Amino acid sequence: MSFQYNLEQKGCHVSLDNDLLQALTIHDTPSSEVDCVLNVCNIPTNLLKEQFGRDVKVWDICYHNQSLADCTHIGEYEQQHDQPSIHIHLVEDTCRIVDTACYQIHYSAVRNFTTVAYSVHLLLQKGIRQASATQTYFQPSQICYNKLTYLKDFYTKILSLRLVQLANRLYGYYGEKWTVGLGRGSFLKDGIRNMKVLPMPQTEFWADPFVYRNRVDGKIYLFIERFPFKEKKGVLACAELDDEFNVHNMHDILTRPYHLSYPHLIEEDGELYMMPECSANRQLEVYRCVQFPDQWELYSCGMKGECLADTVYYRDKNGDAWLFTAQCDTSVDLHCTIMNIYKVDSLKLNQIIPHKQNPIIINCEHSRNGGRIYEENGRCYRVAQNNTHGMYGYGISVREIVKLTIDEYEEVEVKQQLGRNIPAFLGTHQMCQIDGVFAMDLRKS
């Protein structure tokens, strides 16, 4: 399949690493050799078909009823109409959808446009792999919104953020407040009805909980990101839980000059490891437990230079090891939109092979990981964050992994928990299940 595109005149450089794609210019390619034309200049489809032939496919990148090339107001409509996410469609011949990307809504339309522009090549990659449109027909919608309302909301948000920053400097106040809920039984079966909420910390927040049952003493331990407001940097902490889920001896176990979070615990070959998020250091880091639970040593590093968030390590029933990760280079918003999978040799990370369907997901509703991959009743589940409605931690989605090979991936949602449905809280973005116990983080503001 030959594919023709020219984005340079729009001030955007796109690099597509795909065997099916060859970068060509409109002037040096015989029209008989072109199968598909990407229309980034809003040229009428019939004119392109006249030039390249009636059988050529014409793809457009559309936001509602407009070509992406003509949009500078992305997200304004979604904010005013309380939509969950921004949909960007790859459309064939103006009528059929090839693929759709769903982006997190930011209050700034400029930031929304930048996020989409820097990642739209990933949508093209997925479309090229599919190489054909679905039977879902594209129905352009007329955008109706009030520009003055958007500007009022935008500057109100800016003022609010500045006031929070000032309050943080003067009084140690921080905008986001999180704590942890602990429940008995199976989250899939029992939900949150048996959950006990830990008291809300006053000068820090607790998030990204992982629960672990120590094989030596049989006790349950809670591992979290502890975020002191004054330091503005996450550290990893641990506490022991009694039978009533009371917290004992909460203390730090791993600190670095950079932000740490997401203390993902992994048992393998009789050893305990931890793969925390350290995107601020732009690499994966694996730590081995030297003395439980306080002493950890750096075991391996991988993917240096990459910005990875909430990476999950999983070894399947066949013994194959995988990394599921949110990966981006340009915008933190994309951490909540794009998920990639890699096959690895082990926690040593000596060999890392990209999945052939990367990016696996371009959808802020269920891309970023929200806890470890776990098995229950013979089935395998991935916990994903729902970061829609412009909110980090709008909810979680538990998704059964149906197929996982280096060539294919398939998952289906089996349960959703929205933060607004948890009494007295607004959000959640993580759930960790072990036998008989689960933990969730809960957002107050």
Side-chain angles (χ1 to χ4, degrees):
M1 180 182 184
S2 61
F3 198 101
Q4 182 146 349
Y5 73 99
N6 186 350
L7 295 183
E8 280 76 14
Q9 59 184 307
K10 293 296 173 183
C12 178
H13 175 69
V14 173
S15 175
L16 299 178
D17 182 14
N18 193 293
D19 293 338
L20 299 177
L21 178 65
Q22 184 177 4
L24 303 169
T25 63
I26 197 167
H27 300 295
D28 60 10
T29 307
S31 60
S32 60
E33 296 180 8
V34 175
D35 302 309
C36 192
V37 176
L38 175 61
N39 183 9
V40 296
C41 301
N42 208 17
I43 300 172
T45 299
N46 63 319
L47 295 181
L48 291 172
K49 284 184 174 288
E50 287 180 7
Q51 178 170 358
F52 291 99
R54 290 294 170 183
D55 293 332
V56 73
K57 299 174 182 177
V58 178
W59 284 1
D60 292 89
I61 303 169
C62 298
Y63 170 68
H64 291 279
N65 63 333
Q66 290 183 293
S67 169
L68 186 63
D70 295 333
C71 293
T72 56
H73 53 265
I74 294 178
E76 297 179 19
Y77 170 87
E78 284 76 10
Q79 287 188 63
Q80 293 184 24
H81 292 80
D82 193 29
Q83 298 297 299
S85 56
I86 298 167
H87 288 198
I88 302 296
H89 300 287
L90 183 60
V91 179
E92 180 181 303
D93 294 345
T94 71
C95 63
R96 286 178 295 185
I97 296 175
V98 179
D99 207 345
T100 299
C102 300
Y103 292 88
Q104 190 178 23
I105 302 171
H106 194 270
Y107 63 87
S108 167
V110 173
R111 183 159 169 174
N112 289 329
F113 177 83
T114 302
T115 299
V116 172
Y118 273 111
S119 63
V120 74
H121 64 285
L122 299 174
L123 179 61
L124 295 178
Q125 281 184 337
K126 290 189 68 182
I128 291 168
R129 282 200 308 266
Q130 295 173 190
S132 63
T134 66
Q135 294 304 308
T136 304
Y137 285 88
F138 181 59
Q139 297 180 333
S141 57
Q142 188 68 34
I143 303 177
C144 298
Y145 68 96
N146 189 305
K147 189 70 174 181
L148 291 178
T149 300
Y150 163 74
L151 291 174
K152 177 180 70 67
D153 292 343
F154 174 81
Y155 287 108
T156 299
K157 182 68 174 180
I158 292 293
L159 177 60
S160 174
L161 291 174
R162 295 294 179 265
L163 290 175
V164 168
Q165 291 173 352
L166 179 61
N168 188 31
R169 291 196 192 98
L170 296 177
Y171 308 110
Y173 174 83
Y174 196 78
E176 285 186 47
K177 294 184 178 180
W178 296 78
T179 189
V180 173
L182 298 161
R184 300 194 185 279
S186 164
F187 174 75
L188 286 178
K189 179 181 177 181
D190 303 314
I192 62 173
R193 62 183 180 182
N194 297 321
M195 187 169 67
K196 173 184 177 178
V197 178
L198 299 182
M200 180 69 68
Q202 297 303 306
T203 59
E204 60 188 30
F205 69 60
W206 295 356
D208 293 0
F210 284 84
V211 279
Y212 173 75
R213 189 184 298 275
N214 187 11
R215 296 183 182 275
V216 177
D217 59 19
K219 296 179 180 179
I220 297 176
Y221 291 81
L222 173 67
F223 289 75
I224 62 165
E225 169 202 352
R226 190 178 70 85
F227 190 96
F229 297 150
K230 288 186 177 180
E231 283 76 6
K232 302 180 184 178
K233 177 174 69 70
V235 299
L236 302 185
C238 174
E240 182 182 328
L241 301 176
D242 63 22
D243 292 339
E244 302 301 321
F245 289 155
N246 296 308
V247 174
H248 301 279
N249 190 28
M250 176 68 75
H251 62 286
D252 296 344
I253 60 169
L254 188 64
T255 62
R256 287 293 180 266
Y258 42 87
H259 174 81
L260 292 176
S261 61
Y262 204 78
H264 173 35
L265 298 172
I266 305 155
E267 283 189 297
E268 189 164 274
D269 299 329
E271 299 274 6
L272 180 63
Y273 300 89
M274 181 165 57
M275 181 184 286
E277 181 200 311
C278 49
S279 58
N281 202 35
R282 301 190 72 88
Q283 66 177 0
L284 281 181
E285 296 176 359
V286 179
Y287 293 84
R288 185 176 71 89
C289 186
V290 178
Q291 181 175 324
F292 184 84
D294 304 301
Q295 296 182 22
W296 300 81
E297 65 178 11
L298 186 62
Y299 176 75
S300 65
C301 297
M303 303 186 74
K304 294 184 179 181
E306 296 291 335
C307 190
L308 308 167
D310 297 349
T311 302
V312 168
Y313 175 88
Y314 171 66
R315 188 173 288 276
D316 64 24
K317 295 179 180 179
N318 299 321
D320 293 328
W322 306 89
L323 295 177
F324 291 65
T325 188
Q327 184 173 10
C328 74
D329 292 323
T330 56
S331 170
V332 70
D333 297 329
L334 292 177
H335 274 154
C336 296
T337 303
I338 297 168
M339 187 191 79
N340 288 334
I341 296 177
Y342 295 86
K343 188 174 183 180
V344 296
D345 59 318
S346 66
L347 285 169
K348 293 181 180 179
L349 304 178
N350 290 328
Q351 186 179 41
I352 303 176
I353 304 172
H355 195 283
K356 292 186 179 179
Q357 298 298 316
N358 281 347
I360 299 295
I361 300 172
I362 311 178
N363 191 329
C364 64
E365 295 178 7
H366 55 261
S367 58
R368 185 167 176 169
N369 293 313
R372 59 186 289 266
I373 293 175
Y374 71 99
E375 296 178 2
E376 187 174 298
N377 296 325
R379 298 179 182 271
C380 180
Y381 300 100
R382 183 180 76 90
V383 185
Q385 298 180 19
N386 180 333
N387 290 306
T388 57
H389 295 273
M391 180 178 179
Y392 178 57
Y394 188 74
I396 59 170
S397 170
V398 182
R399 314 178 68 79
E400 181 183 355
I401 298 176
V402 178
K403 186 178 295 184
L404 173 58
T405 69
I406 194 64
D407 298 298
E408 297 178 286
Y409 181 77
E410 183 180 350
E411 66 179 26
V412 293
E413 183 177 79
V414 296
K415 187 179 181 68
Q416 185 180 88
Q417 177 67 62
L418 300 182
R420 67 186 183 190
N421 295 330
I422 302 174
F425 291 94
L426 300 175
T428 176
H429 74 353
Q430 178 152 326
M431 190 281 294
C432 177
Q433 175 83 61
I434 61 174
D435 292 339
V437 175
F438 68 86
M440 297 179 66
D441 56 8
L442 305 169
R443 180 171 180 169
K444 191 75 173 180
S445 60

mmCIF file of all heavy atoms in Angstrom, residues 231-257:
data_model
loop_
_atom_site.group_PDB
_atom_site.id
_atom_site.type_symbol
_atom_site.label_atom_id
_atom_site.label_comp_id
_atom_site.label_asym_id
_atom_site.label_seq_id
_atom_site.Cartn_x
_atom_site.Cartn_y
_atom_site.Cartn_z
ATOM 1 N N GLU A 231 6.972 19.560 49.685
ATOM 2 C CA GLU A 231 8.066 19.054 48.848
ATOM 3 C C GLU A 231 7.685 18.965 47.370
ATOM 4 O O GLU A 231 8.539 18.996 46.494
ATOM 5 C CB GLU A 231 8.522 17.685 49.344
ATOM 6 C CG GLU A 231 9.401 17.712 50.587
ATOM 7 C CD GLU A 231 8.612 17.972 51.852
ATOM 8 O OE1 GLU A 231 7.372 18.024 51.772
ATOM 9 O OE2 GLU A 231 9.230 18.123 52.919
ATOM 10 N N LYS A 232 6.372 18.812 47.086
ATOM 11 C CA LYS A 232 5.876 18.723 45.712
ATOM 12 C C LYS A 232 6.568 17.606 44.930
ATOM 13 O O LYS A 232 6.844 17.732 43.741
ATOM 14 C CB LYS A 232 6.068 20.058 44.976
ATOM 15 C CG LYS A 232 5.392 21.238 45.627
ATOM 16 C CD LYS A 232 5.634 22.511 44.852
ATOM 17 C CE LYS A 232 5.046 23.711 45.551
ATOM 18 N NZ LYS A 232 5.309 24.983 44.830
ATOM 19 N N LYS A 233 6.847 16.504 45.604
ATOM 20 C CA LYS A 233 7.523 15.377 44.960
ATOM 21 C C LYS A 233 7.099 14.106 45.667
ATOM 22 O O LYS A 233 7.106 14.027 46.899
ATOM 23 C CB LYS A 233 9.038 15.559 45.025
ATOM 24 C CG LYS A 233 9.847 14.397 44.446
ATOM 25 C CD LYS A 233 11.320 14.737 44.418
ATOM 26 C CE LYS A 233 11.938 14.825 45.788
ATOM 27 N NZ LYS A 233 12.048 13.487 46.438
ATOM 28 N N GLY A 234 6.720 13.106 44.885
ATOM 29 C CA GLY A 234 6.261 11.864 45.465
ATOM 30 C C GLY A 234 7.399 10.987 45.961
ATOM 31 O O GLY A 234 8.471 10.934 45.357
ATOM 32 N N VAL A 235 7.153 10.283 47.062
ATOM 33 C CA VAL A 235 8.059 9.264 47.575
ATOM 34 C C VAL A 235 7.222 8.005 47.811
ATOM 35 O O VAL A 235 5.996 8.063 47.908
ATOM 36 C CB VAL A 235 8.750 9.706 48.879
ATOM 37 C CG1 VAL A 235 9.590 10.950 48.652
ATOM 38 C CG2 VAL A 235 7.719 9.961 49.984
ATOM 39 N N LEU A 236 7.888 6.873 47.925
ATOM 40 C CA LEU A 236 7.179 5.619 48.131
ATOM 41 C C LEU A 236 7.220 5.250 49.603
ATOM 42 O O LEU A 236 8.268 5.335 50.251
ATOM 43 C CB LEU A 236 7.796 4.513 47.275
ATOM 44 C CG LEU A 236 7.816 4.803 45.769
ATOM 45 C CD1 LEU A 236 8.321 3.597 45.006
ATOM 46 C CD2 LEU A 236 6.436 5.224 45.263
ATOM 47 N N ALA A 237 6.066 4.839 50.118
ATOM 48 C CA ALA A 237 5.939 4.540 51.532
ATOM 49 C C ALA A 237 5.209 3.220 51.722
ATOM 50 O O ALA A 237 4.562 2.705 50.804
ATOM 51 C CB ALA A 237 5.206 5.673 52.259
ATOM 52 N N CYS A 238 5.306 2.683 52.932
ATOM 53 C CA CYS A 238 4.705 1.395 53.237
ATOM 54 C C CYS A 238 4.168 1.411 54.661
ATOM 55 O O CYS A 238 4.722 2.079 55.537
ATOM 56 C CB CYS A 238 5.742 0.276 53.066
ATOM 57 S SG CYS A 238 5.180 -1.359 53.585
ATOM 58 N N ALA A 239 3.083 0.660 54.888
ATOM 59 C CA ALA A 239 2.518 0.514 56.234
ATOM 60 C C ALA A 239 1.980 -0.899 56.390
ATOM 61 O O ALA A 239 1.650 -1.576 55.415
ATOM 62 C CB ALA A 239 1.409 1.527 56.469
ATOM 63 N N GLU A 240 1.890 -1.346 57.624
ATOM 64 C CA GLU A 240 1.298 -2.647 57.928
ATOM 65 C C GLU A 240 -0.180 -2.450 58.246
ATOM 66 O O GLU A 240 -0.568 -1.461 58.884
ATOM 67 C CB GLU A 240 2.016 -3.269 59.128
ATOM 68 C CG GLU A 240 1.515 -4.655 59.500
ATOM 69 C CD GLU A 240 2.211 -5.216 60.725
ATOM 70 O OE1 GLU A 240 3.400 -4.894 60.905
ATOM 71 O OE2 GLU A 240 1.564 -5.955 61.493
ATOM 72 N N LEU A 241 -1.028 -3.375 57.789
ATOM 73 C CA LEU A 241 -2.460 -3.313 58.055
ATOM 74 C C LEU A 241 -2.852 -4.417 59.023
ATOM 75 O O LEU A 241 -2.419 -5.562 58.871
ATOM 76 C CB LEU A 241 -3.254 -3.475 56.753
ATOM 77 C CG LEU A 241 -3.000 -2.447 55.649
ATOM 78 C CD1 LEU A 241 -3.788 -2.821 54.406
ATOM 79 C CD2 LEU A 241 -3.378 -1.052 56.105
ATOM 80 N N ASP A 242 -3.681 -4.076 60.017
ATOM 81 C CA ASP A 242 -4.190 -5.126 60.907
ATOM 82 C C ASP A 242 -5.498 -5.671 60.344
ATOM 83 O O ASP A 242 -5.920 -5.320 59.240
ATOM 84 C CB ASP A 242 -4.345 -4.600 62.335
ATOM 85 C CG ASP A 242 -5.357 -3.470 62.447
ATOM 86 O OD1 ASP A 242 -6.242 -3.349 61.572
ATOM 87 O OD2 ASP A 242 -5.272 -2.696 63.428
ATOM 88 N N ASP A 243 -6.171 -6.527 61.112
ATOM 89 C CA ASP A 243 -7.379 -7.182 60.609
ATOM 90 C C ASP A 243 -8.522 -6.214 60.378
ATOM 91 O O ASP A 243 -9.460 -6.512 59.629
ATOM 92 C CB ASP A 243 -7.817 -8.265 61.604
ATOM 93 C CG ASP A 243 -6.850 -9.435 61.677
ATOM 94 O OD1 ASP A 243 -6.075 -9.597 60.702
ATOM 95 O OD2 ASP A 243 -6.853 -10.180 62.686
ATOM 96 N N GLU A 244 -8.463 -5.052 61.017
ATOM 97 C CA GLU A 244 -9.509 -4.035 60.842
ATOM 98 C C GLU A 244 -9.096 -2.966 59.833
ATOM 99 O O GLU A 244 -9.750 -1.924 59.733
ATOM 100 C CB GLU A 244 -9.822 -3.379 62.189
ATOM 101 C CG GLU A 244 -10.285 -4.361 63.267
ATOM 102 C CD GLU A 244 -11.540 -5.108 62.858
ATOM 103 O OE1 GLU A 244 -12.417 -4.470 62.233
ATOM 104 O OE2 GLU A 244 -11.637 -6.309 63.168
ATOM 105 N N PHE A 245 -8.014 -3.208 59.131
ATOM 106 C CA PHE A 245 -7.479 -2.265 58.136
ATOM 107 C C PHE A 245 -7.023 -0.958 58.777
ATOM 108 O O PHE A 245 -7.078 0.110 58.146
ATOM 109 C CB PHE A 245 -8.490 -1.974 57.036
ATOM 110 C CG PHE A 245 -8.727 -3.121 56.096
ATOM 111 C CD1 PHE A 245 -9.915 -3.232 55.399
ATOM 112 C CD2 PHE A 245 -7.762 -4.094 55.903
ATOM 113 C CE1 PHE A 245 -10.142 -4.285 54.527
ATOM 114 C CE2 PHE A 245 -7.976 -5.156 55.032
ATOM 115 C CZ PHE A 245 -9.166 -5.257 54.346
ATOM 116 N N ASN A 246 -6.573 -1.028 60.005
ATOM 117 C CA ASN A 246 -5.922 0.130 60.613
ATOM 118 C C ASN A 246 -4.468 0.168 60.154
ATOM 119 O O ASN A 246 -3.826 -0.874 59.990
ATOM 120 C CB ASN A 246 -5.984 0.051 62.131
ATOM 121 C CG ASN A 246 -7.409 0.104 62.651
ATOM 122 O OD1 ASN A 246 -8.168 0.996 62.297
ATOM 123 N ND2 ASN A 246 -7.778 -0.865 63.483
ATOM 124 N N VAL A 247 -3.951 1.367 59.954
ATOM 125 C CA VAL A 247 -2.597 1.560 59.421
ATOM 126 C C VAL A 247 -1.604 1.680 60.563
ATOM 127 O O VAL A 247 -1.810 2.468 61.504
ATOM 128 C CB VAL A 247 -2.548 2.815 58.528
ATOM 129 C CG1 VAL A 247 -1.121 3.114 58.086
ATOM 130 C CG2 VAL A 247 -3.454 2.638 57.323
ATOM 131 N N HIS A 248 -0.513 0.922 60.468
ATOM 132 C CA HIS A 248 0.529 0.969 61.492
ATOM 133 C C HIS A 248 1.893 1.216 60.833
ATOM 134 O O HIS A 248 2.219 0.611 59.814
ATOM 135 C CB HIS A 248 0.578 -0.339 62.283
ATOM 136 C CG HIS A 248 -0.704 -0.673 62.985
ATOM 137 N ND1 HIS A 248 -1.053 -0.114 64.196
ATOM 138 C CD2 HIS A 248 -1.727 -1.502 62.638
ATOM 139 C CE1 HIS A 248 -2.235 -0.588 64.577
ATOM 140 N NE2 HIS A 248 -2.662 -1.437 63.655
ATOM 141 N N ASN A 249 2.636 2.128 61.435
ATOM 142 C CA ASN A 249 4.023 2.360 61.039
ATOM 143 C C ASN A 249 4.165 2.741 59.564
ATOM 144 O O ASN A 249 4.942 2.142 58.826
ATOM 145 C CB ASN A 249 4.879 1.114 61.351
ATOM 146 C CG ASN A 249 6.365 1.385 61.174
ATOM 147 O OD1 ASN A 249 6.839 2.516 61.329
ATOM 148 N ND2 ASN A 249 7.116 0.346 60.843
ATOM 149 N N MET A 250 3.425 3.751 59.158
ATOM 150 C CA MET A 250 3.617 4.277 57.797
ATOM 151 C C MET A 250 4.978 4.974 57.730
ATOM 152 O O MET A 250 5.259 5.877 58.521
ATOM 153 C CB MET A 250 2.503 5.266 57.449
ATOM 154 C CG MET A 250 2.663 5.928 56.088
ATOM 155 S SD MET A 250 2.467 4.787 54.690
ATOM 156 C CE MET A 250 0.674 4.555 54.689
ATOM 157 N N HIS A 251 5.807 4.541 56.798
ATOM 158 C CA HIS A 251 7.142 5.134 56.694
ATOM 159 C C HIS A 251 7.641 5.029 55.257
ATOM 160 O O HIS A 251 7.192 4.178 54.480
ATOM 161 C CB HIS A 251 8.122 4.426 57.637
ATOM 162 C CG HIS A 251 8.310 2.967 57.332
ATOM 163 N ND1 HIS A 251 7.364 2.012 57.618
ATOM 164 C CD2 HIS A 251 9.349 2.306 56.748
ATOM 165 C CE1 HIS A 251 7.790 0.815 57.235
ATOM 166 N NE2 HIS A 251 8.991 0.966 56.699
ATOM 167 N N ASP A 252 8.576 5.904 54.909
ATOM 168 C CA ASP A 252 9.119 5.928 53.554
ATOM 169 C C ASP A 252 10.062 4.751 53.342
ATOM 170 O O ASP A 252 10.838 4.385 54.237
ATOM 171 C CB ASP A 252 9.868 7.241 53.308
ATOM 172 C CG ASP A 252 8.948 8.447 53.370
ATOM 173 O OD1 ASP A 252 7.718 8.253 53.300
ATOM 174 O OD2 ASP A 252 9.458 9.579 53.488
ATOM 175 N N ILE A 253 10.021 4.178 52.136
ATOM 176 C CA ILE A 253 10.903 3.061 51.809
ATOM 177 C C ILE A 253 11.789 3.337 50.591
ATOM 178 O O ILE A 253 12.787 2.661 50.384
ATOM 179 C CB ILE A 253 10.094 1.774 51.554
ATOM 180 C CG1 ILE A 253 9.128 1.973 50.375
ATOM 181 C CG2 ILE A 253 9.350 1.354 52.818
ATOM 182 C CD1 ILE A 253 8.495 0.692 49.886
ATOM 183 N N LEU A 254 11.411 4.345 49.783
ATOM 184 C CA LEU A 254 12.241 4.660 48.617
ATOM 185 C C LEU A 254 12.045 6.118 48.241
ATOM 186 O O LEU A 254 10.924 6.563 47.989
ATOM 187 C CB LEU A 254 11.877 3.759 47.430
ATOM 188 C CG LEU A 254 12.799 3.842 46.203
ATOM 189 C CD1 LEU A 254 14.203 3.368 46.560
ATOM 190 C CD2 LEU A 254 12.250 3.006 45.044
ATOM 191 N N THR A 255 13.130 6.873 48.223
ATOM 192 C CA THR A 255 13.114 8.267 47.793
ATOM 193 C C THR A 255 14.207 8.464 46.760
ATOM 194 O O THR A 255 15.246 7.796 46.799
ATOM 195 C CB THR A 255 13.337 9.230 48.966
ATOM 196 O OG1 THR A 255 14.630 8.974 49.536
ATOM 197 C CG2 THR A 255 12.267 9.044 50.030
ATOM 198 N N ARG A 256 13.968 9.373 45.858
ATOM 199 C CA ARG A 256 14.936 9.723 44.820
ATOM 200 C C ARG A 256 14.894 11.237 44.612
ATOM 201 O O ARG A 256 13.952 11.907 45.043
ATOM 202 C CB ARG A 256 14.616 8.990 43.503
ATOM 203 C CG ARG A 256 14.949 7.504 43.526
ATOM 204 C CD ARG A 256 16.451 7.302 43.611
ATOM 205 N NE ARG A 256 16.856 5.906 43.633
ATOM 206 C CZ ARG A 256 17.081 5.212 44.729
ATOM 207 N NH1 ARG A 256 16.882 5.778 45.913
ATOM 208 N NH2 ARG A 256 17.472 3.958 44.673
ATOM 209 N N PRO A 257 15.890 11.805 43.939
ATOM 210 C CA PRO A 257 15.852 13.251 43.672
ATOM 211 C C PRO A 257 14.682 13.640 42.777
ATOM 212 O O PRO A 257 14.339 14.815 42.676
ATOM 213 C CB PRO A 257 17.195 13.517 42.980
ATOM 214 C CG PRO A 257 18.069 12.357 43.350
ATOM 215 C CD PRO A 257 17.152 11.188 43.481
#
